[in-house]
Amino acid sequence: MTRARWTAETTPLPPHALAWLRDRVGLGEPLPEVPVEAPDSALSEDAFTALEAVCPVSVDAGDRLARAGGLSYLDLLRHRGHGEPAVPDGVVRPGSPDQVVEILKVCVEHDVAVVPFGGGTSVVGGVEALRGDKSAVVALDLGGLSELVSVDPVSRVAVLQAGVTGPEAERMLGEHGFTLGHVPQSFERATIGGFAATRSAGQASSGYGRFEDVVESVRVATPVGEWVAGAAPASAAGPDLKQLVLGSEGLFGVITEVSVRVRPRPRDPRYEGFVVDGWEAGADLVRALAQDGALADVTRLSDVDETEVALALAGSRAGVVKKYLRFRGVKNPCLVILGWECRSRATTMRALAGRKVVRLGGAMGKSWLHGRFNGPRQRDALIDAGVCVETLETATHWSRVSELREAVKTALRAELGDPIVMCHISHAYETGASLYFTVLVPRDLDDPVRQWERAKVAASDAISRLGTITHHHAVGRDHRPWLAGEIGPIGTDVLRAVKDRLDPAGILNPGKLI
Amino acid sequence: MTRARWTAETTPLPPHALAWLRDRVGLGEPLPEVPVEAPDSALSEDAFTALEAVCPVSVDAGDRLARAGGLSYLDLLRHRGHGEPAVPDGVVRPGSPDQVVEILKVCVEHDVAVVPFGGGTSVVGGVEALRGDKSAVVALDLGGLSELVSVDPVSRVAVLQAGVTGPEAERMLGEHGFTLGHVPQSFERATIGGFAATRSAGQASSGYGRFEDVVESVRVATPVGEWVAGAAPASAAGPDLKQLVLGSEGLFGVITEVSVRVRPRPRDPRYEGFVVDGWEAGADLVRALAQDGALADVTRLSDVDETEVALALAGSRAGVVKKYLRFRGVKNPCLVILGWECRSRATTMRALAGRKVVRLGGAMGKSWLHGRFNGPRQRDALIDAGVCVETLETATHWSRVSELREAVKTALRAELGDPIVMCHISHAYETGASLYFTVLVPRDLDDPVRQWERAKVAASDAISRLGTITHHHAVGRDHRPWLAGEIGPIGTDVLRAVKDRLDPAGILNPGKLI
């Protein structure tokens, strides 16, 4: 049995967290695990031989199961034998951009679908090994494209290969004194190519920008040949074609190299905790920071529910903090984490002056920093404890932020009974913000898959009425029904026109996006 | 005879400027003007009747000549009878987005090409009334789409119709306390739709961003129906399709409305002049400001030649300034204009401390502000004085900025003898900057058109070796040969695929972009 795992070891839940969960959420029964077997590979001997002439290929069941889907809650259930994981027929491991071009040619010739696979951290079914109408499907593992190709220290531009992971990018750029500053929750495993293909947003996006903001150009292998989109720092030379590749989720081609803006490593990063009284006050504060140019690099506002959970999980320190907040007259504490890496702390602090904000200091900031990757790491432990746990996210304009938050909570309550629904803003813009929801509810043992599917549809309907179906998780298979509504029939047609031109045989990542 | 005119009256050249030109450039002979006649309209009676059923249509020669091309040097020569202006067969004036959709249907039915026409300020042949393989061509004058549709003061988002001019946008938004902050040299006549269709960049782009940075969504009339691209402040819902419309120069559809980010009107804008010693020192300074987050909203560095001209045209004040610069030991004065509207002057000034920068104060800043639109206004006067005058622009990474500047100057000298070639940086990014060239040379009386055509080819070849063919003038007809090289055959194919899907009959702006 192979389980997708976040790291070599998942992070266990501490006893006080388990106790709190039992008390507040209620724990379900541990889910019985059913062994998952890989079906026989459908890759023909001809196809295998042709692929192997280009680079290593594996049809080993373990290799294939390890690339059978991503890390959504439903993926994790599938890896426990509940639901059908889509298992690729082979794993192909190119070692260079040229080999990727060659592999695509072979796959067209042998009627094999191709799913580009980086860190495998998609939570929207983006790396499901769907075969479409092809005879077989392979996972194209980009781990072999792991180099820092070049650094231009004057222009502060670096070229990274697609398979470089977040930590590797930081290590290699760090040797030159630079950082990419892109740290999403998937950072530990996700790759440069994945960031680009999905329009990723890091936790310090207010400072460093979204991933698409730092990309100067992308090198893409397509079935019709190689393409470099993007060139100058800014241009009016027609539509920005790079923006068509970013977010294309492997449908138009396989991103093999990305040229990115880098910055000097921060010398004195600082993270602090604050509390405001109530969600509306918090949203107003973040809006003011965004519109006055005073955002910290990390700017994160939790609602009352998420703050309660954060304090509950903080253990012994929580009591002192709660007492202090009562003393300061805060009725509905909402945690604000601010972190400065390249932006000016003084500018933010000036903007906070005169507002009703309680400073909790650096310990709370460090605590956030320390636990910033725990969410994904603890999901196996939560599932083992009988909890249905998943996240949802969107973005909308400021005038709709609170309405959207309410609508999603209402939709989830209608489907799930009495779930905990936590919400935070973690990416703020002048005109609006992201909203990120975490849902916890005892798992329905009879049909755990259907339990979440129903909730997801209800929440996504609410989201798409008032905002975008995804701010940074991407579309994959799971958001496809809502994308069509968001971009309209002409938008879908345009994507299909580009797809037809670049991938006429339709081998690339079938069943995703459109 | 109808001449395209910048404003109701062009700005004449003051006597000291004429004297300086005679001395430094040499003045040519005034160009004999040849009357320009409009050919008979090729619009069929059927087509005319069908168009007129939707909205007003004119086949008046004056109306048509006034929309025969834009404002490039070659356009201005054509309006004097040198070269063949492409005169539209009619001028169509829709009053609403719906009427634009209707007009496109009629044009498909009657085999009529459509050139969207806003302010008519293109300097790259973007509004040439080319007929392509159609039976006639009309200018679609968007002047009737002149409304501020909505303002969301909380989200700071406004929706403007495509025909709203720069000054009208500022007036209407100003009533709500907002500004768009988008002031390119074409500001006085250019329109919101034109800004979007060409990826315009305003003089304060370092503060407000390029036009594509402020667009939230675009409403587009296409021959296959209406489309709204873009929605949320940020999204990972597939490729950013809005970025495909921005810069599409009317080939995919006609932009009818644009949703834009707005900002509060600046309370205390301030513009100041500085001087650095030599181009390299100046470029280093601007790069440091850009990379340290210390740019002013307006950040502009002139090279020695442009500085010399600016001082020569400044008249009586110039002597004092020159004397002061000699006293301060500046050997190769390069003028720097910094203007603060929304960004922090203190941040910029801190970054300047310790650098060898001579402050000239607010008078020089005001002088720039006062004359910021003079370039285009004075071109008729320069042409009347026998001067060939044109501009070129590009952007590249910092490590190539000086090499590119030299390459363009060398190319122009090889073709034009001893021209004055002035250069400035007016848009700076973390990874690079724009370069803007102004060329002045006595006009070749025998073949003034060929004189500039040769120079343009040589300069554009040099530009495209080291940067983008255009940073903010767009592609139009004139940059088309170089765009293909910049985006490659696959990029061209992608644009054509989108074009074929949205405009299968090929009526939209033939002969431009691809």
Side-chain angles (χ1 to χ4, degrees):
Chain A
M1 184 169 35
T2 304
R3 267 202 204 167
R5 288 207 178 276
W6 187 252
T7 54
E9 312 247 0
T10 58
T11 304
L13 289 170
H16 69 273
L18 272 173
W20 178 86
L21 271 172
R22 189 170 297 115
D23 184 48
R24 177 66 181 80
V25 189
L27 295 180
E29 289 295 308
L31 197 67
E33 293 205 28
V34 185
V36 178
E37 303 280 340
D40 289 344
S41 169
L43 208 58
S44 71
E45 215 174 293
D46 279 3
F48 182 87
T49 307
L51 290 169
E52 216 184 20
V54 180
C55 68
V57 189
S58 164
V59 290
D60 172 77
D63 282 346
R64 289 157 55 213
L65 279 170
R67 287 159 190 85
L71 292 174
S72 70
Y73 173 64
L74 295 184
D75 282 326
L76 299 184
L77 291 187
R78 284 182 202 116
H79 277 271
R80 286 165 168 78
H82 300 268
E84 282 292 315
V87 184
D89 296 303
V91 178
V92 183
R93 293 191 176 90
S96 71
D98 288 345
Q99 286 184 354
V100 177
V101 176
E102 288 307 307
I103 288 294
L104 295 186
K105 279 187 197 152
V106 171
C107 289
V108 168
E109 208 171 310
H110 292 270
D111 196 40
V112 174
V114 176
V115 180
F117 199 97
T121 61
S122 172
V123 290
V124 294
V127 292
E128 296 283 293
L130 304 180
R131 197 180 284 180
D133 59 356
K134 304 298 149 202
S135 65
V137 56
V138 292
L140 187 72
D141 190 316
L142 292 155
L145 274 67
S146 57
E147 283 177 27
L148 170 61
V149 179
S150 65
V151 178
D152 172 351
V154 174
S155 311
R156 296 190 179 170
V157 172
V159 178
L160 288 156
Q161 286 191 324
V164 174
T165 64
E168 275 300 291
E170 289 305 322
R171 187 187 62 72
M172 292 191 290
L173 291 171
E175 288 173 8
H176 298 265
F178 289 116
T179 179
L180 186 52
H182 189 76
V183 185
Q185 246 187 351
S186 60
F187 173 76
E188 297 171 284
R189 281 177 50 177
T191 59
I192 296 299
F195 294 154
T198 61
R199 298 185 163 263
S200 170
Q203 290 168 342
S205 72
S206 296
Y208 293 95
R210 296 168 58 84
F211 199 72
E212 65 258 35
D213 300 329
V214 310
V215 174
E216 299 272 311
S217 68
V218 279
R219 182 174 173 185
V220 192
T222 82
V224 296
E226 196 166 71
W227 181 29
V228 177
S235 175
D240 188 352
L241 293 171
K242 165 186 82 193
Q243 297 289 348
L244 200 56
V245 176
L246 299 169
S248 63
E249 302 190 18
L251 264 79
F252 299 159
V254 180
I255 295 169
T256 55
E257 282 180 7
V258 185
S259 171
V260 290
R261 179 199 75 201
V262 294
R263 286 190 179 159
R265 290 174 73 83
R267 271 174 296 188
D268 185 23
R270 203 162 155 177
Y271 309 88
E272 293 179 28
F274 302 80
V275 163
V276 291
D277 199 351
W279 169 262
E280 294 295 340
D284 275 358
L285 172 70
V286 175
R287 179 166 68 91
L289 294 179
Q291 294 184 338
D292 295 348
L295 284 172
D297 297 276
V298 174
T299 303
R300 189 183 163 97
L301 164 73
S302 295
D303 70 358
V304 173
D305 291 307
E306 188 169 283
T307 302
E308 187 197 332
V309 175
L311 290 177
L313 297 183
S316 54
R317 201 170 40 236
V320 183
V321 171
K322 282 184 190 166
K323 208 167 157 186
Y324 177 60
L325 292 175
R326 272 196 301 275
F327 167 73
R328 294 289 304 266
V330 176
K331 292 204 179 72
N332 298 295
C334 288
L335 184 62
V336 177
I337 298 290
L338 300 177
W340 297 270
E341 296 182 10
C342 46
R343 294 175 81 100
S344 153
R345 181 173 175 276
T347 301
T348 311
M349 295 309 281
R350 263 198 306 275
L352 293 185
R355 286 183 172 265
K356 208 186 153 193
V357 178
V358 180
R359 286 179 67 173
L360 296 183
M364 208 52 153
K366 276 204 197 86
S367 163
W368 169 80
L369 193 69
H370 183 71
R372 69 202 293 194
F373 305 127
N374 276 354
R377 280 182 188 158
Q378 289 175 337
R379 291 168 66 215
D380 278 314
L382 281 164
I383 291 173
D384 288 343
V387 177
C388 165
V389 51
E390 188 52 298
T391 61
L392 298 155
E393 42 82 64
T394 178
T396 193
H397 288 112
W398 285 113
S399 56
R400 291 169 151 193
V401 158
S402 292
E403 185 187 354
L404 174 46
R405 175 171 156 275
E406 273 312 312
V408 172
K409 292 205 168 197
T410 303
L412 287 170
R413 280 193 210 107
E415 290 298 334
L416 294 174
D418 186 27
I420 292 197
V421 182
M422 305 179 264
C423 179
H424 66 245
I425 288 175
S426 48
H427 307 268
Y429 308 91
E430 285 181 65
T431 60
S434 70
L435 284 172
Y436 195 93
F437 301 89
T438 306
V439 189
L440 296 173
V441 72
R443 186 176 40 246
D444 176 351
L445 257 187
D446 291 336
D447 197 346
V449 172
R450 187 78 194 113
Q451 176 189 29
W452 179 248
E453 280 177 349
R454 283 204 333 262
K456 172 79 180 175
V457 168
S460 298
D461 284 347
I463 282 172
S464 62
R465 272 198 302 278
L466 293 161
T468 176
I469 189 59
T470 172
H471 169 266
H472 62 272
H473 279 176
V475 178
R477 184 167 78 164
D478 300 354
H479 288 145
R480 207 165 64 130
W482 293 276
L483 180 70
E486 184 163 331
I487 64 175
I490 294 186
T492 304
D493 244 28
V494 166
L495 292 181
R496 195 162 294 287
V498 176
K499 168 87 173 165
D500 291 348
R501 195 66 63 116
L502 297 180
D503 177 27
I507 60 163
L508 287 168
N509 217 6
K512 319 296 159 52
L513 203 63
I514 47 173
Chain B
M1 183 168 38
T2 304
R3 266 202 204 168
R5 288 208 178 274
W6 187 252
T7 53
E9 311 248 358
T10 58
T11 305
L13 289 171
H16 68 273
L18 273 173
W20 178 85
L21 272 173
R22 188 171 296 114
D23 184 47
R24 176 66 181 78
V25 190
L27 295 181
E29 288 296 307
L31 197 67
E33 292 205 28
V34 185
V36 178
E37 302 281 339
D40 289 344
S41 169
L43 208 56
S44 71
E45 215 175 293
D46 279 2
F48 182 87
T49 308
L51 289 169
E52 216 185 20
V54 180
C55 67
V57 189
S58 163
V59 289
D60 171 78
D63 283 346
R64 289 157 55 214
L65 279 171
R67 288 159 191 85
L71 292 174
S72 70
Y73 172 65
L74 295 184
D75 282 326
L76 299 184
L77 291 188
R78 286 182 200 115
H79 278 270
R80 285 165 168 79
H82 301 267
E84 280 292 316
V87 184
D89 297 302
V91 178
V92 183
R93 295 191 176 89
S96 71
D98 288 345
Q99 285 184 354
V100 177
V101 176
E102 289 306 307
I103 288 293
L104 296 187
K105 279 185 198 156
V106 172
C107 287
V108 168
E109 209 173 308
H110 292 269
D111 196 38
V112 174
V114 177
V115 179
F117 198 97
T121 61
S122 173
V123 291
V124 294
V127 292
E128 297 283 292
L130 304 180
R131 194 180 287 181
D133 59 357
K134 304 297 150 203
S135 66
V137 56
V138 293
L140 187 72
D141 190 315
L142 292 154
L145 275 66
S146 56
E147 282 178 28
L148 170 61
V149 179
S150 66
V151 178
D152 172 351
V154 174
S155 310
R156 295 190 179 170
V157 173
V159 178
L160 289 156
Q161 287 191 322
V164 174
T165 62
E168 273 301 291
E170 288 305 320
R171 188 189 61 73
M172 293 191 288
L173 291 170
E175 286 173 8
H176 298 264
F178 290 116
T179 179
L180 187 52
H182 189 77
V183 184
Q185 244 185 352
S186 59
F187 173 77
E188 296 170 284
R189 282 176 51 176
T191 60
I192 298 297
F195 294 154
T198 61
R199 297 184 164 261
S200 169
Q203 291 167 341
S205 72
S206 297
Y208 294 94
R210 296 167 57 84
F211 198 72
E212 64 257 37
D213 301 329
V214 310
V215 174
E216 300 272 310
S217 67
V218 278
R219 182 176 175 185
V220 193
T222 81
V224 296
E226 195 167 71
W227 181 30
V228 177
S235 176
D240 188 351
L241 292 171
K242 165 187 81 193
Q243 296 290 347
L244 200 56
V245 175
L246 299 169
S248 62
E249 303 189 18
L251 264 78
F252 299 160
V254 180
I255 295 168
T256 55
E257 283 180 8
V258 185
S259 171
V260 289
R261 180 200 73 203
V262 294
R263 287 190 178 159
R265 290 174 71 84
R267 272 175 296 191
D268 186 22
R270 203 163 153 176
Y271 309 88
E272 294 178 29
F274 301 80
V275 163
V276 292
D277 198 352
W279 169 261
E280 294 294 340
D284 275 357
L285 172 70
V286 175
R287 178 167 69 92
L289 294 178
Q291 295 184 337
D292 295 348
L295 284 172
D297 296 275
V298 174
T299 302
R300 190 185 162 96
L301 163 72
S302 295
D303 71 358
V304 173
D305 291 307
E306 188 168 285
T307 302
E308 185 196 333
V309 175
L311 290 177
L313 297 184
S316 55
R317 203 172 36 240
V320 183
V321 171
K322 282 184 191 166
K323 206 167 158 186
Y324 177 59
L325 292 175
R326 271 196 302 274
F327 167 73
R328 293 290 302 269
V330 176
K331 293 204 177 74
N332 297 296
C334 288
L335 184 63
V336 177
I337 298 290
L338 300 176
W340 298 271
E341 296 182 10
C342 45
R343 294 174 81 100
S344 153
R345 180 172 176 277
T347 302
T348 312
M349 295 309 282
R350 265 198 306 276
L352 293 185
R355 285 183 173 266
K356 209 185 152 193
V357 178
V358 180
R359 287 179 66 173
L360 297 183
M364 208 51 154
K366 277 205 198 83
S367 161
W368 169 79
L369 193 70
H370 184 72
R372 69 202 292 196
F373 305 126
N374 275 354
R377 280 182 188 157
Q378 289 175 337
R379 292 168 65 214
D380 277 315
L382 282 164
I383 291 173
D384 288 342
V387 176
C388 164
V389 52
E390 188 52 299
T391 61
L392 298 156
E393 43 81 64
T394 179
T396 194
H397 289 111
W398 285 114
S399 56
R400 290 170 151 191
V401 158
S402 292
E403 185 187 354
L404 173 46
R405 175 172 157 275
E406 273 311 312
V408 171
K409 292 204 168 198
T410 303
L412 288 169
R413 278 191 211 109
E415 289 298 334
L416 294 174
D418 185 28
I420 292 196
V421 182
M422 304 179 266
C423 179
H424 66 247
I425 288 175
S426 48
H427 307 268
Y429 308 91
E430 285 180 66
T431 60
S434 69
L435 285 172
Y436 195 92
F437 301 88
T438 306
V439 188
L440 296 173
V441 71
R443 187 176 40 248
D444 176 352
L445 257 187
D446 291 338
D447 197 345
V449 172
R450 187 79 195 111
Q451 174 188 30
W452 178 248
E453 280 177 349
R454 280 202 338 258
K456 173 79 179 173
V457 168
S460 297
D461 285 346
I463 282 173
S464 60
R465 272 196 304 276
L466 293 161
T468 177
I469 190 61
T470 172
H471 169 267
H472 62 270
H473 279 175
V475 178
R477 185 167 78 162
D478 300 355
H479 288 146
R480 207 163 65 128
W482 292 276
L483 180 71
E486 184 163 331
I487 64 175
I490 295 186
T492 304
D493 244 26
V494 166
L495 292 179
R496 195 162 294 288
V498 176
K499 168 85 173 166
D500 290 348
R501 195 66 64 114
L502 296 179
D503 177 26
I507 60 165
L508 287 168
N509 216 6
K512 319 293 158 56
L513 203 62
I514 47 174

